[in-house]
Amino acid sequence: MNFKRITIGVLVATMTVLSGCQKGYLDINNNPNQVTAATPVLVLPAALSSSGAYFSTNFTFLNLWMGYWNWSGNYSIATSDKNYQFTTGYNTGIWDSAYIILKNYDYIDTQAASLSQPQIQAMAKIMKALHFQILVDTYGNIPYTNALKGISNAQPSYDDATAVYEDLFKQIDAALSLFNDADKVAAQGGTVVNPGSNDIMFQGNINKWRRFANTLKLRMLLRQSEKSDRQSFIQTQLATIKASGYGFTQSGENAAVNPGYANSSGQQSPFYGSYGNGVNGQPVENYNINRANKYAVDFYKAENDPRLSRFYAPVAGSSSTYNATYFGTINPQANSLVSGIGPGLLRSASQSSYILTSHEAFFLQAEAAQRGWISGTAQTLYQQAITESFLNLGLTAADASTYYAQALSNVGWDASSNKIQAIITQKWASLNGWSPYEAWSDYRRLGLPAVPISQDPSTSVKQIPIRLFYPQSEYNYNSTVVAAQGNINQFTSKIFWVK
């Protein structure tokens, strides 16, 4: 399908879609007099594309923190990246881009409701819940109830993080009810607008959306697993999931978007374009900067894990030698001497952008089953999760079964005395590159695996941060409200689900 471009005023103007090649995944137009209305079905692919770019390109620093990547000795990176002493200007795109993307989905939600398009409205609600979840998980209390009202509330209040989380379950339930409403209309011979190929994630497959929604719920419930005061809420929500009968994401059902990525200017897959080769076939600067982390390389080597050759490329001049340095080392090696990002992550310029992979989905189910939360055999789900990881990297199911048949702790099920630790360790091993945010979330929740802190001498606090600061834009334009959140510390100001 053709690329579409969204043009909006910053958080306040009406949405529009303009045909033609996409220069960026979300362009900003500060002249609202030039915008025109667009139908929800046309806005949907651009919104989903923006989500794909968001998750593909905003979390490089977490690949460093979580033991996956380091940097090349040919380059110098910001001190704040390597010693955790950042400011309100650090990675502000996580906040700013999220609220712009949320405005996209809010437009789809409201317009689809006015046009009686329940399937499209439901998709927007689910994606809004996803982005708000990431904001809560990163910052805690956030603008929510009044966040998307534009100029009518340009300085929105902050909602309690726990309350936001609880409302997100309600929003997802409302989305599932909308899908059911559409089914009833269709059963009675009515017309239901299905976005079809404009749904660049699931191609209009509503059952996949239902399973994705339940999987997002399960992810949010597991975030809260270590909090005793959340157990009643968790059990209530699990009962709702079970009663829905939809289940969770199945084998091969990656939540991944692809609007027609190609090896042309402005049309490359965001992850590939950011960390792989440019249109000219030459490595981009971020490929040369980001090298393998010794912690992960040593893990894959010790476990006889063939994913080593998919997550990382061999050193220059070799076909099988993998070398790396620890994050924060005072002597990072030249990029020709250490491994770069591998071919399993950098498939092609047309590769899809992952939002929630099938292997993450099965690891969530494996943990939930091990905790007794859902039916199913934890071992089977664990092994399926590993298999999904192998398949998503271009390996085979046979490769996976050979791997997890080893009598190694945190690899083989029977050889692992701590099943939760094994699940989270293998989940971490699978999230390399594409999904470091989920590895960071598990680390904050459970302290697993024991990822080493930065070796940089200026690292005065020997702890990986548990949150980010509110962005400087909030202190500039919403100062009274954000100041009421108190003095934020990246090491001690906990997100509500962090024990």
Side-chain angles (χ1 to χ4, degrees), residues 155 474-475 477-485:
Q155 295 178 315
E474 283 293 284
Y475 291 96
Y477 303 112
N478 198 14
S479 57
T480 301
V481 177
V482 72
Q485 300 305 307

Side-chain angles (χ1 to χ4, degrees), residues 17-276:
V17 172
L18 303 176
S19 61
C21 291
Q22 178 179 327
K23 292 181 181 179
Y25 292 97
L26 193 67
D27 289 345
I28 304 297
N29 173 23
N30 289 318
N31 184 357
N33 294 321
Q34 293 182 350
V35 301
T36 56
T39 61
V41 75
L42 290 179
V43 178
L44 181 64
L48 289 169
S49 180
S50 296
S51 293
Y54 180 88
F55 287 105
S56 295
T57 61
N58 271 300
F59 301 108
T60 302
F61 70 104
L62 291 178
N63 275 311
L64 298 171
W65 291 4
M66 296 317 300
Y68 299 131
W69 296 356
N70 194 22
W71 71 93
S72 163
N74 294 67
Y75 296 83
S76 176
I77 67 169
T79 301
S80 55
D81 274 326
K82 56 189 177 183
N83 71 359
Y84 316 127
Q85 296 294 340
F86 46 81
T87 69
T88 55
Y90 188 71
N91 285 296
T92 58
I94 295 171
W95 176 285
D96 295 338
S97 295
Y99 276 108
I100 295 172
I101 294 169
L102 280 162
K103 191 68 177 177
N104 300 354
Y105 288 119
D106 195 56
Y107 175 88
I108 298 169
D109 186 353
T110 56
Q111 291 298 306
S114 69
L115 296 171
S116 298
Q117 297 177 354
Q119 290 188 343
I120 299 173
Q121 184 185 3
M123 294 172 188
K125 284 185 177 295
I126 292 168
M127 294 305 294
K128 283 167 68 176
L130 167 62
H131 280 283
F132 274 123
Q133 179 219 333
I134 298 301
L135 286 170
V136 169
D137 291 349
T138 308
Y139 301 99
N141 300 341
I142 59 167
Y144 177 67
T145 305
N146 298 314
L148 306 177
K149 294 183 179 180
I151 56 175
S152 66
N153 196 327
Q155 295 178 315
S157 59
Y158 278 49
D159 292 74
D160 175 75
T162 306
V164 175
Y165 242 54
E166 292 187 357
D167 194 69
L168 295 181
F169 284 87
K170 295 177 182 177
Q171 296 304 313
I172 294 175
D173 285 340
L176 293 173
S177 293
L178 286 165
F179 285 141
N180 292 341
D181 292 344
D183 288 347
K184 293 175 184 176
V185 171
Q188 295 170 0
T191 300
V192 175
V193 177
N194 182 291
S197 62
N198 275 15
D199 168 13
I200 61 172
M201 187 156 72
F202 292 129
Q203 293 71 52
N205 187 316
I206 302 305
N207 284 332
K208 288 184 179 180
W209 273 100
R210 286 169 164 143
R211 291 191 286 270
F212 173 61
N214 272 352
T215 304
L216 287 179
K217 283 186 175 184
L218 186 61
R219 177 202 271 177
M220 288 192 288
L221 292 175
L222 283 166
R223 288 279 204 272
Q224 303 169 75
S225 66
E226 305 310 294
K227 299 291 288 185
S228 59
D229 61 334
R230 303 301 297 162
Q231 299 309 306
S232 177
F233 178 82
I234 290 170
Q235 292 305 315
T236 298
Q237 293 302 320
L238 288 170
T240 301
I241 292 172
K242 181 178 179 180
S244 75
Y246 305 138
F248 303 102
T249 294
Q250 297 179 355
S251 177
E253 285 185 2
N254 292 299
V257 302
N258 198 324
Y261 297 127
N263 194 36
S264 300
S265 179
Q267 295 187 1
Q268 287 186 308
S269 173
F271 187 89
Y272 186 89
S274 295
Y275 305 111

Side-chain angles (χ1 to χ4, degrees), residues 321-339:
T321 299
Y322 297 87
N323 188 28
T325 53
Y326 285 114
F327 171 51
T329 178
I330 60 173
N331 293 308
Q333 297 183 9
N335 60 6
S336 61
L337 301 177
V338 285
S339 297

Side-chain angles (χ1 to χ4, degrees), residues 16 126 197 343 357 363 417 436:
T16 187
I126 292 168
S197 62
T357 59
F363 279 117
S417 58

